[in-house]
Amino acid sequence: MAWAAIWQRGPEQGWDDGQMKLLVCGGAGFIGSTFVRLRLLEHGDEVTVLDKLTYAGREENFHDFAEHPRFHFRRGAIEDPAAVAAALEASSPEAIVNFAAETHVDRSIAEPDAFVSTHALGTYVLLEAARTHALRYLQVSTDEVYGSIEQGPFTEHSPLRPSSPYSATKAGADLLVQSYFHTYQLPALICRGSNNYGPYQYPEKLIPLMILNALQGDALPVYGDGMQVRNWIHSTDFAGAIGHVLEHGAIGEVYNAGGPDEQANIAVVNRIVELSGADQSQIEHVSDRPGHDRRYSLSSEKVRALGWNPRVRFSDGLEQTVAWYRDNPWWWEPIRSGDYREYYERQYGRSLG
Ligand code: NAD
Ligand code: DAU
């Protein structure tokens, strides 16, 4: 299809399911690889992944589709214009979907540099590339750009009040995306998700960290009083929402995609202890995260009106996730025996057993 036709194509013209050519940046990570699996195997799309392979990006995440004839992988950074240009030339996509990010709040507090370069410069390079080729562009974003909320949910109209270097740089990237829509009419969309969980999540994040520590007999480090609340969404549901927004969203718009359930951290950890057969005495309350957001909650009415709904309830998804980590040590053993151990010592002031 000619670029001009893609430019004009939207939901009203039938931006329909299936057989799209996509450039997926950051597709070797947790949610990106889940999205690629979904688009490749369920929608029949042709997918090229461009990924820098930071500590969080892993070719192991492609294990079940690496040889698929419609899947292509290129190693490169989104802040590198030559790498982006080469990926576009090789793949001739209709759309760019950008997952590429530094994603761990604690790392952003300790070392913010890469967060600024990937989110600000990287997003800029991708937007310029999308503008040059008149490509549809979808930015994957987060509820953390809204900051913390005591009661009720954030909507797409809530002000941006990010509180960590992670969320501030993600908010900056979102604003840049919106500026390309307003200034250059780039057909751009933003999809903001709540806390994801599921298979293939790097074990620096709450749920996989607690599952692996529980299974391995390590301490379970709960920050502060553990009463912080998160709005949990299974990664397959968020991946589905992103595809849905790409196909059916109105250009220039933001869509929130939140999970069906909210839970306090301590309740999540208690349930993981039960599901993994660990001991309550493994739970330890440790120093709180600086500037810790107390509660996240997202209203997803706008994307629900487009026909998307989350399918996985947290109680079922958590049980399935504990089972996945228990059954797939091939995936996490290389992480727990590598650089992650040093990160863990720096972050928690103690070694893994
Ligand atoms: P992740 O940390 O598992 O993966 C990030 C991926 O981006 C990795 O493959 C990494 O190698 C790649 N990457 C990092 N910097 C890059 C660069 N400069 N150039 C190219 N590739 C680079 O992250 P995730 O949890 O899968 O999150 C994906 C996206 O979803 C992010 O944009 C994140 O902000 C957003 N998000 C995450 C959550 C969550 O709970 N994990 C919730 C909402 C939104
Ligand atoms: O809300 C979406 C965001 O969710 C994403 O944009 C981020 O990329 C993702 O990392 C996540 O951010 P959080 O900071 O909410 O997730 P994390 O898993 O780091 O922590 C979840 C909660 O658990 C938070 O309140 C901090 C707490 N926590 C976390 C860790 C790692 C602990 O109590 N102990 C821990 O060891």
Side-chain angles (χ1 to χ4, degrees):
M1 179 178 281
W3 296 128
I6 290 156
W7 175 271
Q8 286 152 8
R9 196 171 150 193
E12 55 292 343
Q13 282 83 32
W15 181 262
D16 50 8
D17 292 345
Q19 282 105 45
M20 276 192 277
K21 284 175 97 176
L22 301 176
L23 178 64
V24 178
C25 302
F30 161 49
I31 308 168
S33 61
T34 304
F35 175 80
V36 173
R37 183 174 293 109
L38 187 73
R39 299 307 308 189
L40 199 61
L41 305 181
E42 288 190 18
H43 292 259
D45 294 341
E46 176 150 359
V47 181
T48 299
V49 166
L50 175 67
D51 196 295
K52 192 176 183 176
L53 296 186
T54 67
Y55 72 94
R58 304 183 72 215
E59 288 187 77
E60 287 90 331
N61 293 347
F62 306 144
H63 70 103
D64 50 337
F65 55 78
E67 303 303 324
H68 196 290
R70 290 194 309 275
F71 173 70
H72 318 281
F73 173 62
R74 300 178 70 90
R75 186 171 188 175
I78 59 166
E79 64 273 23
D80 177 353
V84 171
L88 283 177
E89 191 173 338
S91 59
S92 303
E94 293 163 72
I96 297 177
V97 183
N98 181 28
F99 291 86
E102 292 290 335
T103 60
H104 194 37
V105 173
D106 293 328
R107 290 189 195 249
S108 85
I109 294 168
E111 286 179 279
D113 317 29
F115 291 76
V116 177
S117 53
T118 293
H119 302 173
L121 186 56
T123 303
Y124 159 72
V125 169
L126 290 181
L127 287 168
E128 276 298 305
R131 182 159 85 97
T132 306
H133 295 282
L135 300 179
R136 183 168 282 234
Y137 180 93
L138 189 144
Q139 178 78 356
V140 180
S141 186
T142 169
D143 59 2
E144 296 202 18
V145 298
Y146 299 118
S148 190
I149 191 163
E150 280 182 24
Q151 285 183 333
F154 289 116
T155 73
E156 290 81 358
H157 297 294
S158 301
L160 302 190
R161 291 210 180 92
S163 42
S164 70
Y166 163 69
S167 52
T169 51
K170 288 292 290 184
D174 284 9
L175 294 175
L176 198 57
V177 172
Q178 288 179 317
S179 81
Y180 269 62
F181 168 69
H182 289 293
T183 310
Y184 306 115
Q185 295 79 50
L186 183 80
L189 303 118
I190 297 174
C191 186
R192 295 184 178 138
S194 61
N195 276 67
N196 278 238
Y197 69 101
Y200 307 99
Q201 187 170 30
Y202 195 83
E204 64 194 350
K205 307 285 171 28
L206 178 78
I207 287 181
L209 183 149
M210 295 295 174
I211 294 172
L212 294 185
N213 283 18
L215 292 174
Q216 298 282 290
D218 285 305
L220 307 177
V222 174
Y223 294 163
D225 63 5
M227 292 307 291
Q228 304 83 6
V229 171
R230 295 295 183 263
N231 178 187
W232 293 102
I233 184 167
H234 196 273
S235 51
T236 54
D237 275 336
F238 188 40
I242 292 163
H244 202 81
V245 167
L246 182 68
E247 289 165 4
H248 304 291
I251 61 169
E253 293 292 316
V254 175
Y255 294 90
N256 291 340
D261 299 294
E262 294 181 16
Q263 202 137 104
N265 293 339
I266 191 68
V268 175
V269 175
N270 279 326
R271 184 69 186 132
I272 289 172
V273 167
E274 281 172 18
L275 289 168
S276 60
D279 199 292
Q280 279 284 333
S281 66
Q282 285 172 246
I283 298 177
E284 276 183 21
H285 288 264
V286 301
S287 304
D288 209 348
R289 171 185 281 175
H292 200 166
D293 285 337
R294 196 72 179 161
R295 177 171 174 265
Y296 299 140
S297 178
L298 270 190
S299 157
S300 311
E301 293 309 310
K302 193 171 164 184
V303 69
R304 283 174 189 259
L306 287 183
W308 171 86
N309 278 294
R311 294 179 185 162
V312 186
R313 297 304 301 257
F314 186 59
S315 54
D316 299 331
L318 187 61
E319 195 172 341
Q320 175 241 24
T321 302
V322 171
W324 187 86
Y325 281 92
R326 183 192 284 121
D327 296 344
N328 290 281
W330 68 270
W331 187 87
W332 52 262
E333 271 172 355
I335 298 176
R336 292 243 325 174
S337 58
D339 294 347
Y340 177 73
R341 297 186 78 80
E342 284 158 36
Y343 160 76
Y344 196 92
E345 279 178 39
R346 283 199 307 280
Q347 178 62 26
Y348 295 95
R350 63 188 299 167
S351 323
L352 288 167

